[in-house]
């Protein structure tokens, strides 16, 4: 095996390991919200979702952002002493940045809560601020080990963090609800449990570092420290944020919703308490949207190492076509059975129209994740980030304009509009730089036919029952329709010949150039 092939094999193994850890984290992160909402109600869920974006953004920076940039710096250095010097400079930057973010949110929590339209969120925000103190430890540890080619510590710390966080949150919520605590106290405690989970992940990194470097303390020389600090600020902070924007699209939108939905609903004429409950109902769709991006995230990570040369152009186009099929089928499926899913998971039909509307966003989310991976793989990181930011601006403007005149449905429409703009801009960038092979007109027509026939089939299947309010019955129908939908989708994909057998082999082989490819 040549050195290039050996390096590529290691890269595939590393990507697979990190992808598996990320997928486990996504599943845990999506699943626990459902029992949490069931225990605390829509207002309790609203409280948690209002502050969660701050926590989520911090954790994404500590998983995808800063470690990736730091690992890139470390990989260029051959001497252990140089790597330790880089760690020292990065540590100074991340500790100062984390401490600053902690102090800002801690001190200005009343201002932030007021901007959200709910001053009772102040203690919950203050509890959340502590997560920024853990970002330096997680980022440094993960960045160091990734830089020397070891992905196991990152994967282990992330899985431990998620398992502990979800377990702590649900145990605390159950105990607090049983004790009759208020929703804001429960929210603050849930964020404390989240931080304890992140602390468990940080502890893993500290123990691993200590076991290997307990006799090698980090060197620190005051001479030149200021220059190193300034250099690392430029290399680490902004690139670290830019690198992980693709992973925080939905968090970005949730953060915008946290500041605009409740004030917008009050301007629409909804009372304060009802506005909070409506925001909680709107957020019911978030776990389902997160589930919808899991396969696309795995697909993007799988093809990223293979995006090289002409074969990479073909494989990138294939990955986008697969994401369109999966995203389109998920959107049609959730839109059609939203009523059953809502009752099954959340006990009633409140917000079914919001869930159905937000289901449309699944059509774009898979595309965005995959296209972002292709653009980053082609070193178009800033362009990819620009497309995401542009969509966020549309989302923000849409919320400000639409919610006061149309209510919560305006927030859902703004989400779809923002994601659609990002998808369009990404498509333009992919076309401009010739990064993918575009699907043929025949393929596009067959794809549209797939969505229409799938939607019609699911609609016909649920005609005998109409609407259901009993949770058990709704669950049976939701699961039954899901199985039928998957079977129908697979049959249609095969019947319409959206993919050739060789194309599926290429995806499973990770872009092996020895695989022959068909045409669509």
């Amino acid at each position: 095996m040549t050195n290039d092939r050996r390096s590529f094999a290691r890269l595939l193994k590393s990507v697979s390991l990190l992808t598996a850890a990320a997928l486990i984290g996504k599943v845990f992160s999506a699943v626990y919200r459902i029992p949490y909402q069931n225990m605390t109600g829509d207002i309790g869920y609203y409280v948690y979702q209002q502050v969660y974006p701050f926590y989520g953004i911090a954790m994404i920076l500590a998983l995808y952002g800063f470690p990736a940039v730091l690992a890139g710096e470390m990989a260029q250095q051959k001497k252990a002493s140089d790597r330790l010097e880089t760690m020292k400079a990065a540590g100074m930057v991340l500790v100062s940045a984390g401490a600053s973010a902690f102090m800002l949110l801690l001190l200005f929590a009343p201002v932030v809560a007021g901007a959200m339209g709910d001053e009772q969120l102040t203690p919950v925000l203050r509890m959340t601020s502590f997560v920024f103190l853990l970002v330096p430890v997680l980022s440094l540890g993960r960045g160091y080990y990734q830089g020397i080619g070891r992905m196991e510590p990152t994967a282990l710390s992330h899985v431990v963090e998620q398992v502990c966080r979800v377990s702590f949150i649900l145990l605390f919520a159950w105990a607090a609800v049983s004790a009759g605590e208020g929703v804001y106290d429960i929210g603050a405690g849930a964020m404390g449990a989240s931080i304890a989970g992140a602390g468990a992940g940080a502890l893993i990194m500290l123990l691993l570092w200590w076991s290997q470097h307990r006799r090698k303390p980090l060197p620190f020389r005051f001479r030149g420290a200021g220059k190193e600090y300034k250099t690392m600020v430029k290399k680490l902070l902004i690139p670290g944020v830019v690198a992980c924007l693709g992973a925080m699209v939905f968090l970005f939108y949730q953060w915008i919703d946290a500041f605009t939905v409740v004030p917008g609903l009050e301007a629409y004429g909804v009372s304060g308490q009802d506005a909070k409950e409506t925001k909680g109902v709107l957020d019911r769709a978030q776990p389902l949207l997160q589930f919808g991006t899991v396969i696309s995230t795995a697909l993007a990570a799988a093809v990223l190492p293979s995006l090289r040369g002409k074969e990479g152009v073909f494989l990138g186009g294939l990955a986008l076509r697969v994401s369109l099929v999966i995203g389109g089928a998920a959107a049609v499926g959730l839109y059609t059975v939203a009523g059953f899913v809502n009752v099954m998971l959340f006990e009633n039909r409140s917000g079914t129209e919001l869930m159905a509307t937000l289901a449309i966003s699944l059509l774009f989310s898979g595309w965005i994740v995959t296209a972002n991976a292709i653009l980053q793989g082609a070193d178009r990181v800033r362009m990819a980030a620009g497309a995401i930011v542009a969509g966020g601006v549309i989302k923000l403007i849409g919320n400000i304009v639409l919610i006061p005149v149309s209510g919560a449905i305006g927030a859902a429409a703004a989400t779809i509009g923002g994601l659609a703009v990002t998808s369009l801009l990404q498509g333009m960038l992919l076309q401009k730089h010739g990064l993918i092979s575009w699907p043929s007109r025949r393929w596009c027509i067959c794809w549209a036919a797939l969505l229409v026939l799938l939607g019609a089939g699911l609609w016909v299947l649920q005609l005998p029952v109409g609407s259901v309010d009993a949770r058990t019955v709704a669950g049976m129908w939701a699961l039954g329709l899901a199985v039928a939908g998957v079977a129908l989708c697979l049959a249609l994909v095969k019947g319409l010949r959206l993919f050739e057998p060789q194309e599926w082999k290429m995806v499973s082989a990770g872009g092996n150039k020895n695989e022959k490819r068909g045409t669509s």
Side-chain angles (χ1 to χ4, degrees), residues 38-56:
N38 290 178
M39 288 187 283
T40 63
D42 287 321
I43 294 184
Y45 189 47
Y46 146 82
V47 171
Y48 182 79
Q49 285 292 112
Q50 284 293 97
V51 299
Y52 176 76
F54 290 96
Y55 176 91

Side-chain angles (χ1 to χ4, degrees), residues 315-396:
L315 189 59
L318 175 59
L320 281 173
R321 282 187 282 136
V322 173
S323 71
L324 282 174
V325 170
I326 294 172
V332 170
L334 181 56
Y335 183 90
T336 308
V337 303
F340 298 115
V341 172
N342 202 12
V343 175
M344 176 183 72
L345 298 179
F346 302 107
E347 304 180 285
N348 57 56
R349 298 179 63 85
S350 297
T352 294
E353 68 284 354
L354 295 174
M355 183 179 291
T357 303
L358 282 169
I360 300 172
S361 66
L362 289 171
L363 183 63
F364 303 106
S365 61
W367 168 282
I368 289 172
V369 170
T370 308
N372 188 73
I374 295 171
L375 289 168
Q376 288 192 342
D379 293 326
R380 301 290 192 274
V381 177
R382 293 184 182 274
M383 293 180 181
I388 291 170
V389 171
V393 171
I394 297 299
K395 163 67 176 173
L396 175 61

Side-chain angles (χ1 to χ4, degrees), residues 9-64:
R10 284 199 299 268
L11 177 60
L12 283 177
K13 182 179 178 181
S14 299
V15 168
S16 299
L17 188 61
L18 289 180
T19 299
L23 291 180
I24 291 170
K26 278 184 174 292
V27 171
F28 271 96
S29 186
V31 167
Y32 82 92
R33 284 180 168 87
I34 296 167
Y36 185 87
Q37 185 276 344
N38 290 178
M39 288 187 283
T40 63
D42 287 321
I43 294 184
Y45 189 47
Y46 146 82
V47 171
Y48 182 79
Q49 285 292 112
Q50 284 293 97
V51 299
Y52 176 76
F54 290 96
Y55 176 91
I57 288 171
M59 288 296 97
I60 284 181
L61 287 170
L63 179 63
Y64 298 107

Side-chain angles (χ1 to χ4, degrees), residues 5 8 305-315 505-506 509-517:
R5 288 190 177 184
F8 185 63
S306 305
L307 299 178
R308 301 176 298 180
K310 293 182 179 179
E311 198 72 17
V313 170
F314 172 77
L315 189 59
K505 290 179 182 179
M506 284 196 68
N512 189 334
K513 293 185 179 183
N514 292 325
E515 292 284 354
K516 297 178 180 179
R517 66 174 184 259

